[in-house]
Amino acid sequence: MRRAVAVLAVTWAIVGVASAARLEPATDFELLDARSAGEATSQVQSRDAFTQHVPGLTTEQLSAFALGDHVFRTPWIEAPASVAAFDGLGPFFSNRSCSGCHLRDGRGHPPDGPDDATRSLVAKLGVPDSSGRTRPDARYGHHLSERAVRGLAPEGRLVVQWEDVEYVYPSGERIALRRPRIEVAAAAYGPLEAGVKISARIAPAVIGSGLLEAVPDSALVALADPTDADADGISGRVHWLDAREHGAASQQRVLGRFGWKATQRSVAAQVSTALADDIGITTPARPELEFTSAQRDARRRPHGGEPELEGANLAALIDYCRMLAVPARRDVDDPAVRRGAERFRDAGCTSCHVATLTTGDMPVTAMSRQMIHPYSDLLLHDMGPGLSDGLPEGDAQPSEWRTPPLWGLGRASVVSGYLFLLHDGRARSFEEAILWHDGEARPSREAFRALPAESRGDLIRFLESL
Amino acid sequence: MRVARLALSLAACAVTCSYAAAATPGRANEAVASAVRGHAQLAQRAYRDAVAGLHELEAEVQEFLAEPSRTSLEAARAAWIQCRDAYGRTEAFRFSGGPIDDIHPLTGVQGPEGRINAWPIDEAYLDYVAGEPKSGLISDRKVPIAESTLVSRNASADETQVTLGYHAIEFLLWGQDRSRDGPGNRPYSDYLRGDPVRDRRRECLRLQVQLLLRDVTYVADQWTPAAGRYVNVFLGLPSAEALGRALSGPATLAAFELASERIGIPLSTGMQEHEQSCFSDNTHRDIASGVESLALVLEGDGSTTGLLSALNDAYATEIRDRLARALQLAYTIAPPFDAIITSSEDDPRRRALQALSGELLGLAGAIQRAGEAARVKVVVGGGG
């Protein structure tokens, strides 16, 4: 990875915090900046820490946020219904509302075991071919939904079994990790294809989406180093998406930045995709739901409009996601947090979990030209075979994942009442998540592994302060 | 690790002193301190009134369950309407770092607002609805009706899956509102003894009232001075910080909760269930008592001074004028509110609500500007 020095230098000029001469090196300050998102930081630390809008909205922006908040929480119902605005659920769906998976705009959770129902985890399907591309399953398509409207059988049920994997520290200390084995039961249209791969994904938090969207493409391209030209072992690369498939006519390719594999170019695209795949709601960007030839019964089901969500309600939902603030950090002057920040930096975590990005010009003042600390480069990295889901997606290989932003993670358990990390929610703690790092992140994991227990605890205290 | 001390101390203050911009000068300081003390007393009285109302509700619900009849159901509903007004008058104490909805600074306990006042409600999650006679927790005999069940299932998977609070009780007393000109019409026979599902409904209602009383009592206690209580923390804050917190409550209630969530959204979506008290058709009173709580916090109650006494006269005058107009508009809302939601664009009732919404947004803006003049930061939050 190329160093982010140039980006940081610009940051100081824009924000103008004190004078550069009085500050210690940038990394020290940025890792201990309580303002996670500059002016767009919220002070609320309670269960509602993720539900706050960025400060200083105009009356119109506040109205859009409030309307979007409602759309986010409104449970969709089956068509036809007397409530015309929000009917058209399904016919296949994972949940009835956005908040059904992103409770209080927070993260989802995997099932506890084979008998537990999934509510905030979705399953992607695909059959990889010899060229490294993926085609949809012939009977079920790209996606398996576990719920369906009345009178229609759900596509199937995900059965998640957890297998223990023991991990041993150099000191002899042992920790039990777990990984999922996922099968489909009660498959309604016959068996899935023999070579199908099933990739389970939990819902990520929605906070700060608009800020991540506001980081210029050029800043992310500058962080990428696809051929590892600087030979530091980190070769983050942009997930370039085919422009024609992603609704951008003027360019050859567009930069993907949202989703576990960076398959979505914008908040609007992410919202439309989730509405279609997870709730069964069509929008102008996704006017058709996906049905295979085996699913004629589902295709014939009544819909709630063409499309089912558009206009002011859809625009407000997208703006709502964009305007969600990021909570301020806590305990940044705690000595353990300071030591942990140093460990985090020294272990090389900030090579991918880039501490500071800068937003461009935005219509919302508090989000415009802000120094933000998402702890992500939004790039794809090879995370090794342990985290591979076997499923190539777009240009992303099975073991490649987008660096997930870490901001707000220290509040996630307060917001949701639980904490599950990594794409399939296998990690039950920060420690487990770190120990799953491999591939490009292997040296960082090894650095963590080699630390004395007390220093590992400091590093986790640092993560808890985010 | 080397650390930028100046920057760090600024960063730390962003959390602990989030509402105070700078110290205020001497004479003004005394006015601020007095307003802050008054605020704590007003909060204590308002929550005590809410508790008293809930004791009445508890008594009426006990009588209703002892002898279900049309009359005893009406009495329980009337007690709900009464106690709802008293709770409405506490709402301006939300959104201000207090014990109702924030984390207690000493105990780490999350405020119980989400168990008290959650809405809108997915009715079918709790009890039967039209077309689904066996839906909901009450019909699901595999799950025991117990305090732990109701608490653990309240908005745990989805925010509309509500098992507790005023609106869950409202649904159990009135049932779904399927008409445009009246409230819900649940029969008292839903509570007759001797059927397993009805018995579960009886127990559910009893527990809900008991838990609501306990939760609101917790908040009232936190505003009652004693060791470890929130009020002691609040009164120990630098007075500018306390004033900033206190002003953030009415500003957020006015702009976000009342103007946008409770008035703007129902008007723009036209959805009947987007009125707050949709089962009892009491939404006009939810709005009016919310505006009353703004007046209480800002102007005081006659014997105790409100927050306006700490603010610059010009702003105080603007805020008083806006409050007076907002109250007048709020009192003219004619029930049922859902008839206004579905009314035409030029309906005078709709116009009056839009005017009220504008007045509340203006009020929030004036509170923010007054805060700036008093060098405190007023946070208009929202969501959640």
Side-chain angles (χ1 to χ4, degrees):
Chain A
M1 191 194 87
R2 287 177 205 143
R3 295 285 296 146
V5 173
V7 177
L8 291 175
V10 175
T11 297
W12 299 118
I14 290 169
V15 179
V17 182
S19 73
R22 294 173 66 183
L23 290 165
E24 297 288 331
T27 34
D28 288 353
F29 172 75
E30 62 183 342
L31 292 174
L32 294 170
D33 185 1
R35 299 205 316 167
S36 305
E39 293 293 320
T41 306
S42 151
Q43 298 301 333
V44 172
Q45 299 291 339
S46 68
R47 207 176 66 143
D48 292 321
F50 290 176
T51 67
Q52 307 297 310
H53 59 72
V54 302
L57 297 184
T58 65
T59 302
E60 291 75 28
Q61 289 163 346
L62 190 70
S63 301
F65 181 86
L67 177 56
D69 187 8
H70 253 270
V71 178
F72 194 86
R73 288 192 275 175
T74 299
W76 286 79
I77 53 175
E78 291 175 27
S82 58
V83 186
F86 296 102
D87 74 338
L89 174 72
F92 297 121
F93 58 99
S94 294
N95 221 312
R96 291 174 188 273
S97 67
C98 306
S99 68
C101 285
H102 305 273
L103 177 65
R104 287 181 286 276
D105 305 300
R107 302 167 62 85
H109 63 92
D112 292 336
D115 301 325
D116 193 20
T118 66
R119 283 289 181 268
S120 48
L121 171 137
V122 298
K124 288 189 181 285
L125 302 178
V127 186
D129 64 24
S130 52
S131 68
R133 309 300 284 187
T134 306
R135 62 181 168 77
D137 181 271
R139 293 195 175 100
Y140 297 89
H142 285 105
H143 211 262
L144 189 107
S145 299
E146 291 190 273
R147 299 165 83 185
V149 294
R150 274 175 284 190
L152 183 69
E155 290 184 293
R157 197 173 85 74
L158 289 175
V159 180
V160 178
Q161 309 250 25
W162 294 105
E163 296 175 344
D164 282 343
V165 183
E166 191 173 60
Y167 194 90
V168 186
Y169 282 103
S171 62
E173 212 180 316
R174 284 157 197 275
I175 174 173
L177 307 182
R178 63 173 192 175
R179 68 175 163 229
R181 206 178 67 223
I182 301 163
E183 288 169 357
V184 174
Y189 299 99
L192 281 75
E193 287 190 57
V196 75
K197 300 293 178 186
I198 307 168
S199 180
R201 314 275 173 89
I202 60 167
V206 191
I207 51 168
S209 305
L211 295 159
L212 296 177
E213 187 175 49
V215 175
D217 283 5
S218 57
L220 302 176
V221 171
L223 290 171
D225 181 13
T227 58
D228 193 19
D230 63 1
D232 67 349
I234 308 292
S235 57
R237 59 190 193 95
V238 171
H239 193 176
W240 291 111
L241 310 172
D242 186 322
R244 284 160 304 175
E245 288 173 24
H246 290 270
S250 61
Q251 297 151 282
Q252 290 284 306
R253 57 185 198 175
V254 288
L255 185 145
R257 64 176 78 204
F258 294 108
W260 287 102
K261 297 256 189 190
T263 50
Q264 300 302 328
R265 59 191 291 242
S266 63
V267 175
Q270 175 63 44
V271 166
S272 288
T273 301
L275 282 165
D277 290 347
D278 304 337
I279 314 183
I281 298 302
T282 55
T283 55
R286 285 288 301 271
E288 304 268 347
L289 298 175
E290 177 195 66
F291 297 105
T292 65
S293 55
Q295 296 175 322
R296 291 202 185 85
D297 55 345
R299 191 192 292 274
R300 282 196 300 268
R301 289 282 160 158
H303 58 72
E306 291 179 300
E308 288 159 333
L309 182 62
E310 61 184 329
N313 286 344
L314 176 61
L317 176 63
I318 295 165
D319 279 344
Y320 168 77
C321 295
R322 285 190 177 125
M323 292 190 286
L324 283 170
V326 180
R329 288 175 61 188
R330 303 142 309 284
D331 306 325
V332 288
D333 47 358
D334 181 326
V337 170
R338 292 179 179 205
R339 289 193 301 271
E342 195 173 2
R343 299 293 179 215
F344 187 77
R345 183 198 57 194
D346 292 349
C349 306
T350 51
S351 297
C352 303
H353 291 289
V354 171
T356 304
L357 296 172
T358 305
T359 62
D361 287 316
M362 288 288 289
V364 177
T365 315
M367 294 167 65
S368 193
R369 295 181 163 238
Q370 295 300 308
M371 176 174 72
I372 61 172
H373 304 299
Y375 291 91
S376 173
D377 56 9
L378 304 182
L379 301 175
L380 294 175
H381 295 274
D382 175 12
M383 294 298 289
L387 288 174
S388 170
D389 60 1
L391 184 65
E393 204 180 336
D395 212 20
Q397 292 308 302
S399 62
E400 283 186 310
W401 298 95
R402 180 194 72 148
T403 311
L406 303 182
W407 57 8
L409 270 192
R411 285 285 96 176
S413 61
V414 172
V415 167
S416 313
Y418 50 77
L419 178 70
F420 296 99
L421 300 165
L422 300 175
H423 63 277
D424 50 18
R426 67 177 70 186
R428 294 155 291 189
S429 65
F430 289 114
E431 182 185 17
E432 289 186 23
I434 294 167
L435 293 175
W436 276 110
H437 281 58
D438 198 352
E440 292 174 42
R442 188 182 192 112
S444 292
R445 184 202 66 197
E446 288 303 302
F448 175 79
R449 201 172 88 104
L451 289 173
E454 197 178 286
S455 297
R456 297 201 305 267
D458 288 344
L459 194 147
I460 286 161
R461 282 285 294 135
F462 165 76
L463 295 172
E464 287 168 352
S465 79
L466 296 176
Chain B
M1 174 174 197
R2 289 168 301 169
V3 165
R5 305 228 172 266
L6 168 70
L8 264 185
S9 61
L10 284 173
C13 195
V15 172
T16 51
C17 312
S18 43
Y19 298 90
T24 40
R27 194 183 62 80
N29 234 346
E30 184 35 47
V32 172
S34 155
V36 165
R37 285 194 301 274
H39 185 74
Q41 289 162 7
L42 291 168
Q44 186 190 340
R45 281 208 290 279
Y47 282 111
R48 288 285 165 222
D49 286 350
V51 170
L54 284 170
H55 278 296
E56 295 288 324
L57 176 68
E58 186 180 45
E60 292 297 345
V61 165
Q62 274 168 6
E63 289 202 18
F64 167 56
L65 292 178
E67 244 175 280
S69 71
R70 203 161 286 161
T71 318
S72 59
L73 177 57
E74 281 308 323
R77 288 173 177 171
W80 186 92
I81 298 272
Q82 283 291 323
C83 77
R84 182 70 194 155
D85 258 0
Y87 184 76
R89 285 190 287 269
T90 69
E91 293 224 78
F93 297 101
R94 290 170 64 185
F95 310 114
S96 47
I100 176 68
D101 56 2
D102 217 316
I103 292 174
H104 193 295
L106 303 176
T107 63
V109 170
Q110 166 71 50
E113 209 276 337
R115 287 198 301 266
I116 292 176
N117 200 28
W119 75 287
I121 285 184
D122 177 359
E123 302 110 320
Y125 182 70
L126 186 58
D127 199 0
Y128 73 87
V129 294
E132 292 181 59
K134 289 183 176 165
S135 70
L137 178 65
I138 285 173
S139 296
D140 183 359
R141 288 162 65 182
K142 293 191 297 290
V143 183
I145 297 286
E147 179 181 332
S148 60
T149 316
L150 296 179
V151 169
S152 69
R153 287 176 183 242
N154 186 57
S156 59
D158 196 334
E159 285 159 283
T160 56
Q161 296 182 343
V162 173
T163 56
L164 289 172
Y166 284 99
H167 298 296
I169 294 170
E170 181 196 0
F171 174 50
L172 284 197
L173 290 177
W174 273 272
Q176 276 183 300
D177 180 7
R178 311 268 303 159
S179 74
R180 268 195 195 186
D181 48 7
N185 191 22
R186 184 190 283 278
Y188 73 87
S189 52
D190 276 3
Y191 289 90
L192 292 173
R193 286 189 191 84
D195 167 86
V197 171
R198 292 202 304 264
D199 284 344
R200 287 168 63 85
R201 188 176 295 114
R202 293 167 54 85
E203 179 61 2
C204 186
L205 176 62
R206 189 189 70 77
L207 277 170
Q208 284 172 334
V209 172
Q210 183 184 314
L211 287 166
L212 180 61
L213 180 54
R214 189 194 301 170
D215 279 335
V216 178
T217 303
Y218 162 83
V219 183
D221 287 348
Q222 290 303 323
W223 282 105
T224 307
R229 300 269 172 85
Y230 173 79
V231 65
N232 289 19
V233 177
F234 178 73
L235 294 173
L237 291 171
S239 56
E241 167 73 11
L243 179 64
R245 283 192 190 197
L247 285 170
S248 296
T252 304
L253 181 70
F256 192 81
E257 190 71 21
L258 287 172
S260 295
E261 285 266 304
R262 297 193 199 166
I263 299 175
I265 302 298
L267 288 186
S268 60
T269 60
M271 286 175 65
Q272 257 182 298
E273 55 268 50
H274 279 176
E275 66 160 322
Q276 193 180 14
S277 294
C278 62
F279 312 114
S280 62
D281 275 345
N282 194 49
T283 305
H284 62 297
R285 281 305 310 165
D286 287 330
I287 293 172
S289 63
V291 179
E292 287 169 3
S293 86
L294 298 173
L296 176 71
V297 164
L298 294 166
E299 297 185 308
D301 68 356
S303 67
T304 303
T305 175
L307 298 172
L308 289 187
S309 61
L311 301 179
N312 167 303
D313 284 345
Y315 290 117
T317 304
E318 182 191 344
I319 291 170
R320 267 194 201 92
D321 290 348
R322 286 192 182 275
L323 266 176
R325 288 197 294 272
L327 272 173
Q328 194 189 7
L329 285 163
Y331 289 146
T332 60
I333 306 170
F337 190 78
D338 44 357
I340 311 178
I341 295 178
T342 51
S343 69
S344 66
E345 276 304 316
D346 53 356
D347 190 295
R349 297 169 301 173
R350 174 180 285 267
R351 289 283 165 82
L353 267 182
Q354 284 164 340
L356 173 57
S357 169
E359 211 59 75
L360 291 166
L361 288 169
L363 178 72
I367 295 172
Q368 274 188 303
R369 290 194 303 279
E372 277 166 32
R375 296 195 189 183
V376 302
K377 187 173 166 195
V378 175
V379 179
V380 178

